[in-house]
Amino acid sequence: MPEKHATRWCAPIAALLAALVVVSGCTLSSRLPDEKVVLTTFTVLADIASNVAGDRLRVESLTRPGAEIHGYEPSPRDVRRTATASLVVDNGLNLEGWFGRFVDDLDVEHVVASEGVEPIDITADAYAGKPNPHAWMSPVNVGIYVNNLVRAFTDLDPEGAEVFAANGAAYKEQLHQVQTHLVSALDRLPPNERALVTCEGAFSYLARDAGLTERYLWPVNAEQQATPQQVAEVIDFVKRNRVPAVFCESTVSDDAMQQVVAATGARFGGKLYVDSLSQADGPVPTYLDLIRHDVRTIVTGLTGDKR
């Protein structure tokens, strides 16, 4: 992280914002005059940030539950919300390809949540050599996110420093518990079965931290189509290593992975959540719900242990 944990883009946007207000007939913000708003790019970040902020800051997500973050198209309303935020938080690692263009003309404090994470590069297809953006799928990495947020929130609201530090420490303890369970539950698997086979390559960081070999049909969900060669390569890997179960993400069709199941006899271990939280009454309304669900699904699929 740089010495100053938030950077500032400065450019004239008054005319643009004024035009947007006239067109929409809406005010720029409904928040209280002294309320500090932290705006994140997607729901997972919003929940992590909320756990650090407590009730001292109002945390919102630019995108809604279930939205596809990779190819998101900002709206005029998004411009208004961002321009009036006290702080904007994005994931970085090229996740939000639209974000740089979006904020270039805005005067707003900004922090990259993944700053300091050791990136894992994508190794296949058009994305080869670019960092895998899904760093939040590792509880270890989210501890780094939390540290960055504690510092940024303290810069924004110095009087809340003790609250942010305490909230961050408590949240990191919960993350540690999830990570410990994942590693210990998979310890008894033989080396050849220590593999995580998914539709999207979104689990590189989790696989690394759990000592699993990662295989996937496509590297990024922007593709959402598996070629015959990709399917054949995964079938060969699963057969050679006698991988007990394979998985797919909740936001894409599992048809291609079902071909792998049919050809290998591996179990379909279930759906994994990655890019978005669910609504409050859904299966993964918080990040801890999401990562616990995925860990439980992976452990059950690979070991047969449903505890």
Side-chain angles (χ1 to χ4, degrees), residues 34-105:
D34 298 328
E35 187 177 33
K36 292 182 171 65
V37 174
V38 176
L39 187 64
T40 71
T41 49
F42 68 122
T43 55
V44 171
L45 274 185
D47 183 68
I48 296 168
S50 293
N51 277 274
V52 176
D55 60 3
R56 291 199 63 88
L57 304 171
R58 176 176 160 190
V59 179
E60 300 176 351
S61 171
L62 198 63
T63 58
R64 297 179 179 180
E68 169 54 55
I69 185 64
H70 294 278
Y72 183 72
E73 292 290 338
S75 68
R77 180 175 181 270
D78 294 333
V79 175
R80 293 194 302 273
R81 293 178 67 196
T82 305
T84 58
S86 305
L87 177 71
V88 176
V89 182
D90 73 308
N91 180 77
L93 298 174
N94 294 333
L95 175 71
E96 306 96 336
W98 45 272
F99 188 75
R101 299 187 304 275
F102 177 48
V103 298
D104 278 347
D105 290 337

